[in-house]
Amino acid sequence: MRIGAIEAGGTKFVCGIGNEEGVIEARASFPTEQPEATLKQVIAFFRDQGVEAVGIGSFGPIDMNPSSLSYGYVTTTPKAGWAEYDFLGMVKRSLAVPCGWDTDVNAAALGEATWGAARGLDSCAYYTIGTGIGVGVYAEGKLVHGLVHPEGGHVLTRRHPEDDFAGNCPYHGDCLEGMAAGPALEARWKTRGSELVPEHRAWVFEAFYIAQALTGTILTLSPKRIILGGGVMQQTQLFPLIRDAVRKNLGGYVSAAAIQDHIEEYIVPPDLGGNAGLCGALALGLTALNRGA
Ligand code: ADP
Ligand code: ZN
């Protein structure tokens, strides 16, 4: 079986062809330009390759409501040419196969639940901490969409008492993304995150903000595992700092062994590494094929 996968990001599109085991057999990457220019390359990559379905995990915001006129569109993005663009429709018309469609982070959550760190569990939350912050939610065996789709990168945060950075989210200033995404780190410390030594207090601040979001997610959704991916999480010293801060925030209130005794197995990096999004898109394609959509 050959299934197409598209991980559509704000800077690049990663495309792959894989099978029902989650094995990616071919891949290519194209810069995110105007939609027609990028999708021309994407479609050419899949054309005549015998793919039976395609899954798309897209940057957003996107329209996920099947009864909406703009279902399958990228909606209000500032990205040139992509606002109100019928992304799903374009791929469907061009390739004429069933297509799965979801956010990039929901795709990553599904990928990890199917083949990765949350394999065998019926719920997880997947955070990416990169150029932006996003969260994908898988609950009771399904991806969560709700009214629009989760936007947990923009939750409000309580400020660290020693932090005077104003925050750089254009909508909210000091929301989680405005305080803790890669560009916020860079703006606050005047150097790239990857240049900051592991002992730098930047990481204490970073863990402080991420842990707040995770605390809210644990209390609201009670996911069975939380997976933290994205470029910033390559700073692996963050994991123990975040786990400690989460436990401190919870104050022993949530009585689950996963948190109280085994938190190192509860808040984890992706098992699929950088392939979480692409494998997730593959899983979306498989779901679409089974549904015949
Ligand atoms: P994107 O979010 O654009 O898909 P990434 O997940 O790779 O891509 O995130 C890119 C962001 O992560 C940039 O802001 C970059 O500065 C930051 N970043 C990448 N590698 C590291 C690192 N090793 N340490 C800290 N920050 C990093
Ligand atoms: Zn925000």
Side-chain angles (χ1 to χ4, degrees):
M1 185 179 286
R2 284 165 70 75
I3 305 290
I6 305 173
E7 183 187 15
T11 48
K12 66 177 190 296
F13 274 48
V14 182
C15 299
I17 298 174
N19 66 16
E20 65 279 16
E21 321 261 276
V23 178
I24 307 281
E25 290 149 3
R27 63 192 292 154
S29 158
F30 310 108
T32 308
E33 294 161 348
Q34 290 283 333
E36 291 74 16
T38 301
L39 290 178
K40 200 173 151 195
Q41 295 171 282
V42 169
I43 302 300
F45 174 78
F46 291 116
R47 176 108 45 221
D48 303 325
Q49 292 295 318
V51 295
E52 291 176 61
V54 173
I56 306 169
S58 177
F59 72 95
I62 65 175
D63 190 334
M64 282 300 311
N65 174 5
S67 58
S68 154
L69 285 176
S70 54
Y71 174 67
Y73 284 46
V74 177
T75 58
T76 53
T77 179
K79 220 155 175 55
W82 288 90
E84 306 305 329
Y85 182 76
D86 184 11
F87 183 0
L88 175 64
M90 168 68 180
V91 174
K92 262 192 156 159
R93 281 191 301 276
S94 306
L95 295 172
V97 291
C99 290
W101 166 249
D102 218 309
T103 63
D104 45 4
V105 271
N106 258 0
L110 181 64
E112 289 292 330
T114 311
W115 294 300
R119 197 171 44 240
L121 300 180
D122 65 358
S123 69
C124 72
Y126 180 99
Y127 278 84
T128 181
I129 322 278
T131 306
I133 298 184
V135 61
V137 179
Y138 181 74
E140 300 186 351
K142 280 190 182 155
L143 292 170
V144 171
H145 303 117
L147 181 67
V148 182
H149 48 72
E151 282 283 9
H154 294 268
V155 291
L156 303 184
T157 54
R158 184 189 290 174
R159 301 181 70 82
H160 190 286
E162 292 159 28
D163 190 1
D164 57 9
F165 178 60
N168 66 355
C169 172
Y171 295 92
H172 317 112
D174 59 2
C175 69
L176 177 64
E177 182 172 298
M179 296 307 277
L185 268 171
E186 205 169 320
R188 184 198 279 105
W189 304 105
K190 314 277 180 260
T191 177
R192 294 239 292 268
S194 53
E195 306 294 318
L196 294 166
V197 293
E199 302 73 32
H200 199 285
R201 71 187 182 123
W203 305 118
V204 176
F205 286 19
E206 184 71 12
F208 175 85
Y209 293 113
I210 296 170
Q212 284 185 50
L214 269 51
T215 303
T217 295
I218 292 167
L219 293 169
T220 311
L221 296 167
S222 207
K224 291 183 180 162
R225 193 156 290 156
I226 298 181
I227 300 152
L228 304 179
V232 174
M233 291 311 302
Q234 287 180 41
Q235 300 286 335
T236 51
Q237 74 279 8
L238 279 171
F239 279 94
L241 295 174
I242 292 167
R243 290 173 187 134
D244 285 353
V246 164
R247 283 176 35 142
K248 187 159 159 263
N249 290 346
L250 288 171
Y253 184 72
V254 177
S255 66
I259 292 169
Q260 292 184 347
D261 306 328
H262 309 290
I263 198 165
E264 65 292 343
E265 294 164 27
Y266 180 69
I267 297 173
V268 297
D271 246 17
L272 303 171
N275 272 341
L278 194 61
C279 287
L282 181 60
L284 287 172
L286 273 170
T287 311
L289 182 66
N290 293 334
R291 227 187 20 231

